[in-house]
Amino acid sequence: MTRSTRRLPLIAALLGIAFVASAQAEEAYDPWPGLVQDIFNNRPMNDGSAVIGIEMPYRAEDAAIVPVTLRSRLSPADSRRIRSITLVIDRNPAPMAAKFELGSDANVTEISTRVRVNNYTDVHAVAELSDGQLYVSKVYVKASGGCSAPAGKNAEEAQNRLGQMRYRQFAREEAPASRIREAQIMIGHPNNSGLQMDQVTQLYIPAFFINQLKLTQDDSPVLSMEGGISISEDPNLRFTYVSNGAKRFRAEARDTEGHVFRNEWDVEKSGT
């Protein structure tokens, strides 16, 4: 055995140690402090366990459509309200997935949607209350590759469905006289992340996604969303709100290419 041959096991061992050390360093790195600075200008963060809940599966079945539910935990005796909720997926290429602004009179207490998760990561929900304070909760999700996963629909099918909206209402257990509503808005849109590859050309598909959504009952704001590349294909929002007696529910969405999509529905006849 030559001297160089005898060195091979040692080199392999050293490379293995370096790889493990690099992986451990990557796992130990916490991007959250930097995100607090970049997204929230280093504003103080309070414990949000009694203010905002975030629910996601610990291990996602499909990293491209991971369900997430944001739920108010404010006590009914608390005179404050939640003004906005920012959803941050720490290790995604664009960590701020969405910011939801809640209508001052709509009393939105629950929002569910679907997101892409690109790496094993913490996911934070930051609620800003009417007193100006920020409260944060987090969960850990095991998923990978969601932002680069191929689209579920081909380009022609996605184009044919572009901007199509559906509105649904769901029956609730409260008495019929209750003004609490549970509804869902679905928008046909590829929401391309910019990290997906065309399987034919092997070129990256440009980012193209819904970046603004406004929901109103008549002209009174219910919920608005500033979205990013982490919101899944065919954006889908399910939420609760308190009816003000309006007869029409309206939605307006804009995407990154300047398209504007509008629709409205009779509240008592939800559907397409």
Side-chain angles (χ1 to χ4, degrees):
M1 181 181 293
T2 66
R3 181 177 300 176
S4 60
T5 304
R6 289 196 299 270
R7 288 177 179 169
L8 289 177
L10 176 59
I11 293 172
L14 291 173
L15 289 173
I17 292 171
F19 177 80
V20 170
S22 175
Q24 289 176 339
E26 170 64 20
E27 186 174 346
Y29 168 67
D30 182 7
W32 179 241
L35 295 174
V36 172
Q37 177 176 341
D38 294 343
I39 300 174
F40 304 100
N41 296 317
N42 261 344
R43 293 171 62 188
M45 293 280 170
N46 301 292
D47 176 13
S49 56
V51 174
I52 184 71
I54 176 171
E55 299 171 12
M56 297 179 75
Y58 176 68
R59 187 180 295 277
E61 293 184 10
D62 186 337
I65 47 171
V66 183
V68 54
T69 296
L70 307 168
R71 184 175 288 114
S72 170
R73 290 181 175 169
L74 279 179
S75 164
D78 197 322
S79 62
R80 300 172 299 173
R81 69 173 186 87
I82 297 177
R83 284 179 178 166
S84 68
I85 305 171
T86 305
L87 179 64
V88 181
I89 306 175
D90 293 19
R91 291 178 181 266
N92 269 15
M96 195 181 91
K99 183 176 182 179
F100 302 96
E101 299 279 353
L102 313 186
S104 58
D105 299 319
N107 195 28
V108 174
T109 57
E110 186 173 313
I111 304 170
S112 297
T113 189
R114 303 175 305 185
V115 295
R116 298 176 169 118
V117 178
N118 214 50
N119 295 285
Y120 286 23
T121 185
D122 285 330
V123 180
H124 288 84
V126 178
E128 179 172 7
L129 268 56
S130 51
D131 62 3
Q133 297 295 306
L134 299 181
Y135 293 82
V136 60
S137 295
K138 73 173 181 179
V139 294
Y140 186 76
V141 178
K142 288 187 173 183
S144 60
C147 292
S148 57
K153 299 176 177 64
N154 62 41
E156 182 178 356
E157 182 181 0
Q159 184 62 36
N160 290 338
R161 299 180 68 254
L162 190 70
Q164 292 183 8
M165 294 185 183
R166 295 182 61 202
Y167 168 72
R168 297 177 60 196
Q169 283 196 66
F170 301 88
R172 294 182 62 86
E173 296 179 358
E174 290 88 348
S178 171
R179 295 188 299 128
I180 298 175
R181 302 284 178 91
E182 183 172 0
Q184 183 180 37
I185 291 286
M186 296 157 280
I187 308 172
H189 202 284
N191 255 38
N192 296 325
S193 67
L195 300 173
Q196 298 152 303
M197 186 175 289
D198 186 303
Q199 301 303 305
V200 177
T201 66
Q202 296 297 296
L203 299 174
Y204 284 103
I205 301 168
F208 175 44
F209 55 90
I210 296 287
N211 58 355
Q212 294 180 40
L213 174 64
K214 296 180 180 180
L215 307 177
T216 62
Q217 42 182 336
D218 283 345
D219 295 320
S220 178
V222 172
L223 175 66
S224 65
M225 181 188 76
E226 176 188 345
I229 67 170
S230 298
I231 298 297
S232 299
E233 179 181 6
D234 295 333
N236 181 323
L237 280 184
R238 185 164 172 166
F239 53 94
T240 61
Y241 71 100
V242 171
S243 171
N244 64 0
K247 301 300 183 183
R248 308 292 290 176
F249 196 94
R250 299 188 173 109
E252 178 181 289
R254 297 173 182 265
D255 68 21
T256 51
E257 290 190 3
H259 301 112
V260 179
F261 313 107
R262 297 185 179 94
N263 210 333
E264 64 177 62
W265 304 267
D266 186 322
V267 171
E268 303 305 327
K269 299 177 182 178
S270 68
T272 56

